Each structure stands twice: as C-alpha cells, then as structure tokens.
Amino acid sequence: MPELVRIEWVDSGQPIPGWQWLSEVEARRAHRCVSVGFLVQDDEQTKVLAPNLGASNGGEDWDQASGLFTIPTVAITKIEKLTSVA
C-alpha cells in the first residue's frame, strides 16, 4: 500500500475576473494549502496523491486509485508521513 502522507504546499491565487487599473491592484500572495492522501507517485518533479484506493477483487490487493491530485515538488513546503491505526 502506498504511504499515507500530509503535504503542505503553496498554490497560485484564483484569477480576478475583468480588467483592473494597475494603480488599483492590491498586493497579493500565494495561498497556503494542505492535502492528505496516499502517495502514489514521488519523484523530483511531482508528488501525486490519491484520496481513494480500491481492491478490484474485494481482497487485500490495492490495485486502483481515484481522485488523483498532482502537486509540483517545488511548491511543497512540508511532507509528513502519517500512520494508520488498523
């Protein structure tokens, strides 16, 4: 089973619709985010989390994932391995 992790990361802000006068643009900053899931890909460029795992045969073999979420490695500020109580 892939490791269960908590990742803190930064993301860009949502675009502001419509035109704005440059003189009226207020200072903006990146958004702080946190995500939890099973780490199904871990390399130099990306970390991919799956919030859901499934066993297609109904047994113990986790062979499917849904809701895959990709985070650029450069955006990550902290990764914490979580333990399960099972």
Side-chain angles (χ1 to χ4, degrees), residues 4 35-40 48-54 64-69:
L4 183 61
S35 299
V36 175
F38 295 97
L39 189 59
V40 297
V48 178
L49 297 181
N52 308 296
L53 297 178
Q64 298 183 33
S66 70
L68 296 175
F69 185 75

Side-chain angles (χ1 to χ4, degrees), residues 4-86:
L4 183 61
V5 296
R6 177 183 183 269
I7 296 180
E8 292 183 19
W9 55 289
V10 293
D11 196 9
S12 59
Q14 183 174 351
I16 297 174
W19 288 90
Q20 289 189 326
W21 296 109
L22 290 177
S23 60
E24 296 176 6
V25 174
E26 295 180 10
R28 302 196 42 144
R29 61 180 150 201
H31 294 261
R32 187 172 163 228
C33 305
V34 63
S35 299
V36 175
F38 295 97
L39 189 59
V40 297
Q41 180 179 328
D42 181 7
D43 59 47
E44 291 182 15
Q45 295 184 335
T46 58
K47 309 297 184 222
V48 178
L49 297 181
N52 308 296
L53 297 178
S56 61
N57 65 3
E60 298 292 323
D61 299 324
W62 304 109
D63 61 351
Q64 298 183 33
S66 70
L68 296 175
F69 185 75
T70 303
I71 302 171
T73 299
V74 296
I76 295 173
T77 58
K78 182 179 180 182
I79 298 179
E80 177 183 2
K81 293 180 184 177
L82 304 176
T83 58
S84 62
V85 183

